[in-house]
Amino acid sequence: MRRLSVSLVIIIIFNVSCKAPINQEESQEQKEYFESDWTSLRKHQTPEWLINAKFGIYCHWGIQTLQYIPEYKDYSDDERIALFKGESFNADNWADVFKMAGAKFGGVIGWHGSDFKHWDSQYSNYNSAKMGPKIDIVGQVFQALEKKGLKTLVSYHSIKNDDWINYAKEGVDKYNPDIFWVDASFGGTKGANHKKVLNRTKYIGEFDDDFKVFPEKYQRDFITHFYNNAITNDKQVEFMYKSNDIPPGIGMRDLENGILNETAYDTWITDMDMSVPPDWETHGWFYREGTPLRSTNELIDMLVDVVSKNGIFLLNIPPKADGSFPDVVIKNLTNLGNWLQKNGEAIYDTSPWFIYGEGPNEISIGNNFHHNNHFAAIQYDENDIRFTVNGNTLYATCLGKANDILKIKALNNSFKLKDGDILNITHLGSGSNIEFNHTSKALELQLQEVDLDDNANVFKINLKF
């Protein structure tokens, strides 16, 4: 028996050792890559990690920041580069701020407003690694974010010539971003709307001879390259764009400083500036001394509102020219992060409900939703309720500090929730159990003894399903 056992062991070892090694090239060939056409690209799926993340942060920082310093206003780009030193920039500090605020992904602009690039490019020495601060901004920020376990985003805003695609592909190959975000010049439909030749997706007029649109062949070429690079590297990525710059179903549509007034069937994203300029003359996504900033309460309200409408909230926070963040930015983001520590289960990993909520305050449609909250025109209060769900739990978030009795009309026992469906209700901020009455008029929450938050209050409703 002992001889037989040894023989069996020898045979087993021999069989294992004789297995053919995995051919890396054959393994790559088995993967299904995209073709450079819209039909193929529509097979792309938005990553689950992004749908569940809900909240990200990025920064507008560069030579334009110096443009808003009065004494440098009339300087040329080249003159500003010499002054752009980033002496207080620390990528690890940025990543700490992003994570502290509760963001699940983050990033920085890679190219904005001039030919000056924010990464170490092989195609041009006109970049932040070789000039100005001598910092590979994209590279250092990505490295710091990845150490913190955050996904990465880079945004390209300046698309003027066909060579843009070389820089864009370089950004993908060099840094492997999880999200690649392009501004309106990628497709031109925003400009076409302004020129009154497009009504959203309908052609209604004639283009001027000087109207420039990035050619479709380059659009398809770049998106295909980005998605196929992700397949090679076993990453799940997303391409984000403005307006109607590419056909639907290929990436995620972004609304600049905009909020939907309905629940979208496809996940969308808003990039919201923390700064609130008083008018278009002082408009800008870079830090400007004296420009008001959105309060913690407003940031929380917008995050909850966007998520309830099947959206993702991307917040721009403006660093100062030296690369540090103003104290008020840190204060507001710390408060936001503290709120999410208590109430994040109503945000992360949730899904929208049948309706996004109820309440008297609603945002106007605006310019195809773009910029409809640019000047913080909408302010929610304790009468506005937003819903999210996860499993058999319904979250009702009151966007303010409610009175002693909170009546949620949409949760009456004549609509979706019937008598006996509610097991119990908890106030997430304090952990208090909530007494309630479920009537044909409303779900009435008794809050007299509850330590309510001055900002938004989340009520966790466990359902018997």
Side-chain angles (χ1 to χ4, degrees):
M1 291 297 292
R2 183 174 298 173
R3 288 181 180 178
L4 179 60
S5 299
V6 171
S7 300
L8 287 173
V9 171
I10 293 172
I11 293 171
I12 292 170
I13 293 174
F14 177 78
N15 286 340
V16 171
S17 64
C18 287
K19 283 186 178 180
I22 296 175
N23 187 308
Q24 188 66 28
E25 292 184 1
E26 290 180 0
S27 177
Q28 295 292 356
E29 289 175 359
Q30 292 173 0
K31 297 179 179 180
E32 184 176 353
Y33 287 87
F34 292 97
E35 300 293 333
S36 185
D37 65 70
W38 298 129
T39 303
S40 176
L41 292 170
R42 273 179 60 88
K43 297 176 183 177
H44 167 76
Q45 298 293 315
T46 297
E48 280 295 317
W49 70 257
L50 179 56
I51 293 174
N52 292 333
K54 308 300 184 186
F55 176 39
I57 292 176
Y58 78 139
C59 296
H60 280 63
W61 185 56
I63 58 175
Q64 290 92 335
T65 309
L66 283 88
Q67 178 181 341
Y68 297 116
I69 299 176
E71 56 263 39
Y72 304 140
K73 179 181 178 182
D74 297 324
Y75 280 42
S76 67
D77 285 345
D78 288 346
E79 290 172 322
R80 294 190 187 112
I81 290 172
L83 297 165
F84 180 42
K85 300 177 181 178
E87 58 270 28
S88 298
F89 169 76
N90 185 302
D92 290 322
N93 288 346
W94 280 30
D96 287 338
V97 170
F98 291 12
K99 188 158 189 175
M100 172 269 296
K104 299 299 184 182
F105 62 93
V108 65
I109 60 170
W111 189 2
H112 192 297
S114 74
D115 288 332
F116 193 65
K117 317 299 189 299
H118 292 168
W119 72 94
D120 189 7
S121 176
Q122 64 175 315
Y123 297 114
S124 172
N125 291 331
Y126 199 68
N127 67 67
S128 63
K130 297 182 173 69
M131 301 177 70
K134 303 291 181 63
I135 298 170
D136 181 347
I137 298 173
V138 174
Q140 288 196 24
V141 170
F142 272 32
Q143 186 179 37
L145 292 172
E146 288 166 351
K147 284 192 298 185
K148 294 292 182 181
L150 273 64
K151 300 290 187 178
T152 56
L153 172 151
V154 67
S155 62
Y156 278 35
H157 300 252
S158 303
I159 305 175
K160 298 178 181 178
N161 303 306
D162 293 351
D163 63 353
W164 178 92
I165 193 170
N166 295 325
Y167 292 108
K169 286 182 177 180
E170 180 184 43
V172 169
D173 296 340
K174 193 176 181 71
Y175 303 107
N176 289 311
D178 297 296
I179 300 170
F180 200 103
W181 186 105
V182 295
D183 211 338
S185 53
F186 186 77
T189 57
K190 185 177 177 182
N193 284 328
H194 290 164
K195 286 181 174 289
K196 310 299 183 186
V197 297
L198 285 185
N199 181 9
R200 298 191 73 175
T201 58
K202 183 180 179 182
Y203 185 75
I204 58 175
E206 298 295 331
F207 285 100
D208 297 334
D209 292 338
D210 63 347
F211 188 79
K212 304 297 182 183
V213 177
F214 197 57
E216 179 182 334
K217 62 180 179 180
Y218 291 137
Q219 289 182 312
R220 289 187 289 154
D221 186 14
F222 171 68
I223 299 172
T224 303
H225 180 84
F226 178 42
Y227 285 168
N228 284 342
N229 180 80
I231 293 173
T232 298
N233 290 288
D234 294 318
K235 290 174 66 79
Q236 293 182 319
V237 302
E238 187 66 303
F239 178 77
M240 295 179 177
Y241 64 96
K242 292 284 185 66
S243 299
N244 303 292
D245 284 353
I246 62 174
I250 293 164
M252 183 177 292
R253 186 185 177 199
D254 169 72
L255 303 181
E256 180 177 333
N257 267 335
I259 296 180
L260 292 177
N261 62 359
E262 62 184 6
T263 303
Y265 279 86
D266 294 316
T267 308
W268 58 285
I269 190 166
T270 178
D271 66 304
M272 191 70 62
D273 192 4
M274 195 172 184
S275 300
V276 186
D279 51 47
W280 285 108
E281 292 298 319
T282 55
H283 160 72
W285 288 71
F286 297 85
Y287 177 75
R288 188 190 298 239
E289 185 72 30
T291 298
L293 297 175
R294 300 181 195 269
S295 66
T296 299
N297 182 65
E298 185 179 2
L299 295 178
I300 292 172
D301 286 354
M302 286 192 298
L303 172 61
V304 174
D305 181 63
V306 168
V307 170
S308 73
K309 296 170 180 174
N310 200 25
I312 296 170
F313 187 62
L314 174 61
L315 177 65
N316 173 68
I317 59 174
K320 295 190 289 188
D322 66 2
S324 65
F325 293 109
D327 290 342
V328 65
V329 169
I330 299 299
K331 176 184 176 182
N332 289 357
L333 291 181
T334 300
N335 292 336
L336 172 59
N338 290 338
W339 187 88
L340 281 167
Q341 284 286 334
K342 298 177 182 178
N343 302 284
E345 69 173 272
I347 301 296
Y348 308 121
D349 302 318
T350 60
S351 299
W353 198 48
F354 300 94
I355 56 176
Y356 67 82
E358 64 178 67
N361 298 302
E362 190 52 84
I363 196 159
S364 64
I365 293 177
N367 181 22
N368 294 334
F369 300 107
H370 280 283
H371 303 297
N372 61 5
N373 201 33
H374 191 82
F375 301 112
I378 185 67
Q379 295 292 325
Y380 298 114
D381 59 33
E382 67 277 5
N383 298 300
D384 297 295
I385 312 292
R386 296 294 181 264
F387 303 119
T388 53
V389 296
N390 191 341
N392 289 333
T393 301
L394 171 64
Y395 299 94
T397 304
C398 174
L399 303 183
K401 189 173 185 178
N403 296 319
D404 288 346
I405 299 177
L406 175 63
K407 297 182 179 181
I408 307 177
K409 298 177 182 178
L411 302 186
N412 66 75
N413 64 17
S414 298
F415 184 44
K416 291 292 183 179
L417 301 185
K418 305 302 181 182
D419 285 336
D421 286 345
I422 299 175
L423 294 175
N424 54 68
I425 302 176
T426 305
H427 177 247
L428 285 186
S430 64
S432 300
N433 292 323
I434 304 298
E435 298 293 328
F436 63 92
N437 296 316
H438 200 192
T439 74
S440 61
K441 299 293 185 181
L443 174 63
E444 298 180 357
L445 308 184
Q446 306 296 323
L447 306 178
Q448 294 90 339
E449 305 300 324
V450 180
D451 184 15
L452 296 173
D453 196 306
D454 289 332
N455 297 305
N457 288 271
V458 180
F459 299 97
K460 179 178 181 179
I461 305 171
N462 290 314
L463 302 176
K464 186 181 179 181
F465 291 146

